[in-house]
Amino acid sequence: MDLNKLLKPRKMAVVGASEKPSTMGGDLLHNIKLWGRMEDVYMVNPKYDTIFGEKCYHSISDIPEDIDTVVICTSKKAVPGLLREAASKGCKGAVVYASGYGETRDEEGKRAQAELTALCHELDMALMGPNCGGFNNYIDRVCSFAFIIEDRNFRGNIGFVSQSGQLCQSLMENTTRFSYMMSVGNCSTVYVEDYMDFLVDDPDTKVVAVYVEGIKDPSKFISTLQKAARKRKPVVILKVGASEKASALASSHTGSMAGADKAFDAIAKKFGVIRVKDLEELHAISTVLSTLPELPAKPTFSAMAFSGGEGVVCADSAFYNGINFPDFESETRDALQAMLPYYATANNPLDMTFTMSYDSDVFAKALRTVMDDPNIGMCLLCFTILQKNIAPDVITMIEGIEKVARQGKAKPMAFVPLMENTRERALAERLAAVGVPILPPTHYAFSTLRHLADFIQYNADEKDLDLPVATKGQTVGAGTPVALTERVSKEKLGKYGMVRCVSL
Amino acid sequence: MDLNKLLKPRKMAVVGASEKPSTMGGDLLHNIKLWGRMEDVYMVNPKYDTIFGEKCYHSISDIPEDIDTVVICTSKKAVPGLLREAASKGCKGAVVYASGYGETRDEEGKRAQAELTALCHELDMALMGPNCGGFNNYIDRVCSFAFIIEDRNFRGNIGFVSQSGQLCQSLMENTTRFSYMMSVGNCSTVYVEDYMDFLVDDPDTKVVAVYVEGIKDPSKFISTLQKAARKRKPVVILKVGASEKASALASSHTGSMAGADKAFDAIAKKFGVIRVKDLEELHAISTVLSTLPELPAKPTFSAMAFSGGEGVVCADSAFYNGINFPDFESETRDALQAMLPYYATANNPLDMTFTMSYDSDVFAKALRTVMDDPNIGMCLLCFTILQKNIAPDVITMIEGIEKVARQGKAKPMAFVPLMENTRERALAERLAAVGVPILPPTHYAFSTLRHLADFIQYNADEKDLDLPVATKGQTVGAGTPVALTERVSKEKLGKYGMVRCVSL
């Protein structure tokens, strides 16, 4: 199946369109009108002749031209007929919000999902869902996400695929910027790994970020990771199911089988996948990879702090995460010492004292001195941006950073606060504009930098990227849902935790 | 030295008082006028006859009555003379902001600090600082903190002692509520452990929270911890210096010797001290201990999630931190199952589905059902409070929680979000009013609950709380700064990581 018609439709139909708020059809239209390509959307509802003063069609068949994608806001019962009707208009993509399918614990739901899947294969229809929230394509202004979210500029380069709509909404309320944001639900027909493959190929996506409860097509998953590793496109995965409790819950959430956690870890290591433990970590590393103009040449860090206390806490947090602050070269030390008051010491981490914060030229000079040290790969600014009082220092620092960025040949930089720090969104956006992300508080900051360090040290050329995925008596990859089982993966895990072969 | 005159003065003098913003004397007066007992403050400055229309004295000696505490906003040079002058007015407490003392790397600074210390002992003067930010006593409305912070209700029951002023400001910008907030700097005369001892005794303080770079009087420290353990008053300590880099930086920040990290860990374990790794964790566990009306009877948790995805992520985060979600009793399961749609399962964690979120009575009934399960010690609500769209659900849930709280016999509850969640301060305060804290995102949430579980399982009665603190040739405790050294602590650490004796 080709996902281009689903995710990049020229024309789209919304069935169940309405003016009513707090309905799927009403909230979706609200979103489309806000930022989507409304001119390429056909509204369909047998109850209305017009919606918001624009023509509403009574059926899909009434639409005067072919459509690429249909968004179905109705309940489960109407879905099969609507899919057939859409297919007759050349439609190859569908978004189905309705629930009551494979996520239920009864046979009826599972049968309904099997029938839906069979129908989609018959119609060659790439279906997102069921039991999903839809997607937003911020590159082409295609909106099919049915939940109301705040109005801000979301366009960026992170492609996010999620089996949870609530996780999408949580990221959208933060500062994350997306190329695509997809709430994909049960993945009856198109799997998480298919969306990932699309995003690895997509030139507008710099970072592929994923929340997944279960992989259904290991062969496609592996080939996607191979491709990403060879392209050096970062893949960040929050794959749950480390615990039995989570596995059980995932099964009743999207009907997924969480599979073997250790096998997943080994696969992540082999292909340089960044496996994160929660959503905050996914957000942080994705934002860093999305924001930095280029990655550090080596995983060594400098830290500059305005407050000794902040520097000390960061030094310990870095230590807990294996992040290394090498000593400065003697030339660097001498240059910094000349800028510091007599009582201060040019260590790394560096307690800058007040002398470096009152003038952006002085701060820029100090930052450039640290940055030019050959031992340093990336520069951290350990500072909690407070709203009151310290504002002049923050502005001085940001102006200094902008000056250094404008000079060119800047090494990567990031802010590390001790407490949550994105309330000042205008400052965060000003920093992002010169390629400087603000990280979450210290534990998350340094676990994120650990992921970054591991990613830049991963070299696909040194790895054997072959991983035969065998099955018992059948070839996987033709849409048969399977999971990496614990028993098999333990048998097949090679020494050093490397997966050599995964049977299913 | 008695800290009561320093921290609970009847009358206080501010030397260097001024109307000028961005000066220590000016910003301090701004703060005092905002919420302090201005009527008990004497302003002193030889340059002015009035400040803000009120009388300014030209010298301490001119003040018509005795004072308990003097806050010195001048530079280092004037300090000794001012302390002698204050002593002649019966003053027994002083706050000195000036820097250039023991935190410098030159002999002059260290000599100045030794002289200052000797003078304070001569005058029996409890001095906070030097190189400090001052303190706020929110119980008696005494303000000596010289940095501008936002205007909100800070009064609560957390006593915070910090060797970093910036860390104080960071907590103050968050939702932390204090009995006392102290930026104590170099601790030349009064040590961190002395302030801790005051807070352990203080009836207005429920939680003692500490940022410390070095312990100077182990004997006092140990006796304070013994007292706290016997009273079951929680002590939360962020003690830096796990890494060499942090130790070196602490030395140049406040002149502290970080001491042996492993010995500190063993002492924390012996006395039930909650040792945290960073400021966010300190904030989180302090807030939980401060907000919960009572502690859980046992360290077993239930989780209720509106979104399956959030429940799954929380289940794994809990697993990583050893937090246990026991199965519900069959009566609980049956009662919950009757409230759920046919396709959902009454697991713990519980995916509530939409059926439990539309009506606060229904939600309250579900919460009470879970709460009454005998296997459960504390109820978690795994939910990221979003600002848009989900607001009705949030309000429903909060109303349900309020109903359960009003019924009485409620077990402890907390919110666990997947991303930072205190932007909605009005909601956070509404929940805090019924004893329900909002935790930071999952890693911090579950490491905080781990600390809580450990704290409630700690039983001082089962521990030998004696810990002889011996010295080589001298008795420690008379103001001689010493640190627990790695060599000695390793020698003296008993089996099972218990400290039996610490020599110095």
Side-chain angles (χ1 to χ4, degrees):
Chain A
M1 282 173 188
D2 179 7
L3 299 193
N4 277 289
K5 289 209 168 175
L6 169 64
L7 299 172
K8 296 172 96 68
R10 286 161 309 164
K11 300 289 174 183
M12 183 169 96
V14 174
V15 182
S18 144
E19 292 185 10
K20 287 185 198 159
S22 300
T23 64
M24 297 301 261
D27 287 350
L28 172 59
L29 274 196
H30 168 93
N31 288 341
I32 297 175
K33 283 162 62 82
L34 199 62
W35 66 271
R37 263 176 25 235
M38 191 66 198
E39 65 276 20
D40 292 315
V41 170
Y42 288 102
M43 296 182 285
V44 179
N45 196 325
K47 287 194 273 186
Y48 307 118
D49 295 326
T50 60
I51 292 177
F52 296 122
E54 306 216 20
K55 182 166 178 57
C56 176
Y57 295 84
H58 287 195
S59 74
I60 297 173
S61 306
D62 291 345
I63 297 174
E65 61 175 329
D66 275 6
I67 54 170
D68 286 340
T69 283
V70 61
V71 183
I72 300 178
C73 308
T74 70
S75 67
K76 182 178 158 190
K77 217 174 78 181
V79 171
L82 290 167
L83 288 177
R84 287 194 184 279
E85 197 181 351
S88 74
K89 301 293 287 184
C91 182
K92 292 292 179 191
V95 175
V96 174
Y97 302 137
S99 57
Y101 290 90
E103 79 282 7
T104 67
R105 54 176 192 155
D106 67 346
E107 285 309 308
E108 201 286 310
K110 295 195 194 310
R111 191 173 58 242
Q113 182 156 323
E115 286 168 6
L116 183 68
T117 306
L119 178 60
C120 288
H121 284 289
E122 178 197 326
L123 302 175
D124 189 28
M125 180 95 72
L127 181 140
M128 179 177 287
N131 187 28
C132 79
F135 72 90
N136 287 337
N137 162 352
Y138 290 106
I139 304 301
D140 305 304
R141 293 196 293 119
V142 178
C143 170
S144 77
F145 191 68
F147 298 101
I148 301 290
I149 38 86
E150 72 176 321
D151 180 21
R152 67 165 169 98
N153 179 10
F154 285 100
R155 185 178 164 144
N157 55 27
I158 298 173
F160 181 56
V161 186
S162 170
Q163 284 194 272
S164 160
Q166 175 78 359
L167 266 60
C168 292
Q169 285 179 280
S170 297
L171 281 186
M172 292 170 91
E173 278 234 347
N174 217 293
T175 53
T176 318
R177 297 277 192 98
F178 305 91
S179 51
Y180 292 81
M181 188 287 305
M182 313 181 196
S183 162
V184 298
N186 288 8
C187 294
S188 66
T189 309
V190 183
Y191 301 158
V192 169
E193 44 274 28
D194 298 317
Y195 298 111
M196 286 174 64
D197 193 66
F198 172 88
L199 293 172
V200 168
D201 284 337
D202 176 48
D204 295 308
T205 297
K206 188 175 169 188
V207 182
V208 181
V210 183
Y211 168 74
V212 59
E213 301 190 345
I215 297 297
K216 293 179 173 178
D217 183 351
S219 171
K220 182 62 173 281
F221 183 60
I222 298 298
S223 70
T224 298
L225 297 185
Q226 283 168 337
K227 189 161 46 177
R230 292 201 174 103
K231 292 179 90 162
R232 289 194 61 69
K233 186 178 277 197
V235 176
V236 179
I237 303 187
L238 171 54
K239 186 268 184 189
V240 289
S243 63
E244 279 179 35
K245 291 281 181 184
S247 299
L249 202 58
S251 169
S252 63
H253 180 222
T254 55
S256 298
M257 295 165 67
D261 203 66
K262 288 196 181 102
F264 199 93
D265 260 348
I267 289 171
K269 201 167 177 186
K270 183 178 179 77
F271 294 104
V273 168
I274 298 167
R275 184 177 183 188
V276 294
K277 287 188 168 172
D278 61 36
L279 190 66
E280 186 75 45
E281 202 172 276
L282 177 142
H283 166 66
I285 183 64
S286 300
T287 300
V288 166
L289 291 163
S290 159
T291 308
L292 292 182
E294 57 186 48
L295 298 182
K298 53 183 177 180
T300 54
F301 298 83
S302 64
M304 299 168 79
F306 276 95
S307 142
E310 293 194 325
V312 176
V313 174
C314 284
D316 270 354
S317 286
F319 170 76
Y320 295 132
N321 287 281
I323 291 299
N324 181 22
F325 295 120
D327 290 336
F328 294 129
E329 293 281 296
S330 59
E331 292 76 15
T332 310
R333 271 207 308 277
D334 293 346
L336 290 172
Q337 200 64 61
M339 302 171 71
L340 287 168
Y342 70 96
Y343 56 79
T345 318
N347 291 319
N348 180 26
L350 176 67
D351 181 354
M352 304 205 296
T353 77
F354 69 96
T355 54
M356 289 178 179
S357 64
Y358 69 95
D359 180 313
S360 64
D361 285 324
V362 172
F363 174 71
K365 189 179 161 198
L367 176 58
R368 178 55 81 177
T369 303
V370 166
M371 185 177 279
D372 285 347
D373 187 290
N375 299 338
I376 302 305
M378 180 167 178
C379 302
L380 307 180
L381 304 155
C382 298
F383 188 71
T384 308
I385 298 175
L386 300 174
Q387 290 156 308
K388 293 273 176 183
N389 192 39
I390 321 223
D393 289 350
V394 175
I395 301 304
T396 301
M397 183 157 38
I398 293 177
E399 284 171 359
I401 289 167
E402 287 168 339
K403 284 176 185 176
V404 169
R406 275 199 297 272
Q407 288 162 2
K409 294 191 180 172
K411 289 179 182 168
M413 296 174 261
F415 265 71
V416 177
L418 262 60
M419 303 198 83
E420 205 269 345
N421 227 192
T422 47
R423 285 189 184 86
E424 291 287 316
R425 192 178 275 174
L427 294 184
E429 289 185 353
R430 188 168 163 187
L431 281 165
V434 290
V436 180
I438 300 182
L439 295 171
T442 41
H443 164 80
Y444 283 114
F446 287 100
S447 67
T448 295
L449 295 170
R450 178 73 260 151
H451 285 307
L452 180 66
D454 291 343
F455 182 74
I456 63 174
Q457 287 177 292
Y458 173 84
N459 185 352
D461 298 340
E462 292 171 358
K463 303 269 180 182
D464 172 11
L465 294 188
D466 285 336
L467 183 69
V469 181
T471 62
K472 281 185 180 148
Q474 70 167 138
T475 306
V476 172
T480 313
V482 286
L484 305 172
T485 67
E486 188 79 52
R487 184 188 61 76
V488 174
S489 62
K490 272 189 185 155
E491 278 171 18
K492 299 296 179 184
L493 278 172
K495 55 181 177 178
Y496 313 121
M498 296 295 287
V499 171
R500 292 178 188 281
C501 169
V502 179
S503 289
L504 297 149
Chain B
M1 281 170 187
D2 179 7
L3 300 194
N4 277 289
K5 289 210 168 177
L6 169 65
L7 299 172
K8 295 172 98 65
R10 286 162 308 163
K11 299 290 174 183
M12 183 170 95
V14 174
V15 182
S18 142
E19 292 185 9
K20 287 185 199 161
S22 299
T23 64
M24 298 301 262
D27 287 349
L28 172 58
L29 273 197
H30 169 92
N31 287 341
I32 297 175
K33 282 159 64 81
L34 199 60
W35 66 272
R37 263 176 27 233
M38 191 65 197
E39 64 275 21
D40 292 315
V41 170
Y42 288 102
M43 296 182 284
V44 178
N45 197 323
K47 287 194 273 186
Y48 307 118
D49 295 325
T50 60
I51 291 177
F52 295 123
E54 306 217 22
K55 181 162 177 63
C56 177
Y57 295 84
H58 286 196
S59 73
I60 297 173
S61 307
D62 291 345
I63 296 173
E65 62 176 329
D66 274 6
I67 55 171
D68 286 340
T69 283
V70 60
V71 183
I72 299 178
C73 307
T74 69
S75 68
K76 182 177 157 190
K77 218 173 80 183
V79 171
L82 290 167
L83 289 177
R84 286 193 183 280
E85 198 180 349
S88 74
K89 301 293 286 182
C91 182
K92 291 294 179 190
V95 175
V96 173
Y97 302 137
S99 58
Y101 290 91
E103 80 281 7
T104 66
R105 54 177 191 156
D106 67 346
E107 285 310 308
E108 201 285 310
K110 294 193 194 313
R111 191 173 57 242
Q113 183 156 322
E115 286 168 7
L116 183 68
T117 306
L119 178 61
C120 289
H121 284 288
E122 178 196 325
L123 301 175
D124 189 29
M125 180 94 75
L127 182 140
M128 181 178 285
N131 186 29
C132 80
F135 73 91
N136 287 338
N137 162 351
Y138 289 105
I139 304 300
D140 305 303
R141 292 197 295 117
V142 178
C143 170
S144 77
F145 191 68
F147 297 101
I148 301 289
I149 38 86
E150 71 176 321
D151 181 20
R152 67 165 167 99
N153 179 11
F154 285 100
R155 185 177 165 145
N157 56 26
I158 298 172
F160 182 56
V161 186
S162 171
Q163 286 195 272
S164 160
Q166 174 78 0
L167 265 60
C168 292
Q169 286 178 279
S170 298
L171 281 187
M172 293 170 89
E173 278 235 346
N174 217 292
T175 53
T176 318
R177 296 278 191 95
F178 306 91
S179 51
Y180 292 81
M181 188 288 305
M182 314 181 195
S183 162
V184 297
N186 288 9
C187 295
S188 66
T189 308
V190 182
Y191 300 157
V192 168
E193 44 274 29
D194 297 317
Y195 298 111
M196 287 173 64
D197 193 65
F198 172 88
L199 293 172
V200 169
D201 285 335
D202 176 50
D204 296 308
T205 297
K206 187 175 170 189
V207 183
V208 181
V210 183
Y211 168 73
V212 59
E213 300 189 346
I215 298 296
K216 292 179 174 177
D217 182 351
S219 171
K220 182 63 172 279
F221 183 60
I222 298 299
S223 70
T224 298
L225 297 185
Q226 282 167 338
K227 189 160 47 177
R230 294 200 173 104
K231 293 178 89 160
R232 289 195 61 70
K233 186 178 277 197
V235 176
V236 179
I237 303 187
L238 172 53
K239 186 269 183 187
V240 289
S243 64
E244 280 180 32
K245 290 282 180 183
S247 299
L249 202 58
S251 168
S252 63
H253 180 222
T254 54
S256 299
M257 294 164 68
D261 203 64
K262 287 196 182 102
F264 199 92
D265 261 347
I267 289 171
K269 204 166 174 184
K270 184 179 179 77
F271 295 102
V273 168
I274 299 167
R275 185 176 182 189
V276 293
K277 287 188 168 173
D278 60 36
L279 189 66
E280 186 76 44
E281 204 172 273
L282 177 142
H283 166 67
I285 183 63
S286 301
T287 299
V288 166
L289 292 164
S290 158
T291 307
L292 292 182
E294 57 185 50
L295 298 182
K298 53 184 177 178
T300 54
F301 298 82
S302 65
M304 299 169 79
F306 277 95
S307 143
E310 293 194 324
V312 176
V313 174
C314 285
D316 270 354
S317 286
F319 170 75
Y320 295 132
N321 287 281
I323 291 298
N324 182 20
F325 295 119
D327 289 337
F328 294 129
E329 292 282 297
S330 60
E331 292 76 14
T332 311
R333 268 206 311 275
D334 293 346
L336 290 172
Q337 199 66 60
M339 304 172 70
L340 288 168
Y342 71 96
Y343 54 80
T345 317
N347 291 320
N348 181 26
L350 177 67
D351 181 353
M352 305 203 296
T353 76
F354 69 96
T355 54
M356 290 179 179
S357 64
Y358 69 96
D359 180 311
S360 63
D361 285 324
V362 173
F363 175 72
K365 189 179 162 199
L367 175 58
R368 177 56 79 178
T369 303
V370 166
M371 186 176 278
D372 285 346
D373 188 290
N375 299 338
I376 302 306
M378 180 167 177
C379 302
L380 306 180
L381 304 155
C382 299
F383 188 70
T384 308
I385 298 175
L386 300 173
Q387 290 156 308
K388 294 272 177 187
N389 192 38
I390 321 223
D393 290 350
V394 175
I395 300 304
T396 301
M397 183 157 38
I398 293 177
E399 284 170 0
I401 288 167
E402 288 167 341
K403 285 176 184 176
V404 169
R406 275 199 297 270
Q407 289 162 2
K409 294 192 181 172
K411 289 179 183 169
M413 296 175 259
F415 264 71
V416 177
L418 262 61
M419 303 197 82
E420 204 269 343
N421 228 191
T422 47
R423 284 187 184 87
E424 291 288 315
R425 192 178 276 174
L427 294 185
E429 289 183 354
R430 190 170 161 185
L431 282 165
V434 290
V436 180
I438 301 182
L439 294 171
T442 41
H443 164 79
Y444 282 115
F446 288 100
S447 68
T448 295
L449 295 171
R450 179 72 258 151
H451 286 306
L452 180 66
D454 291 343
F455 182 73
I456 63 174
Q457 287 178 289
Y458 173 83
N459 183 352
D461 298 339
E462 291 171 358
K463 302 270 180 181
D464 171 11
L465 294 186
D466 285 336
L467 184 68
V469 181
T471 62
K472 280 186 180 147
Q474 68 167 137
T475 305
V476 172
T480 315
V482 285
L484 304 173
T485 67
E486 188 77 53
R487 185 188 60 76
V488 173
S489 61
K490 272 187 184 156
E491 279 171 17
K492 300 295 179 185
L493 279 173
K495 56 182 177 176
Y496 311 122
M498 295 294 287
V499 171
R500 292 176 189 280
C501 168
V502 179
S503 290
L504 297 148

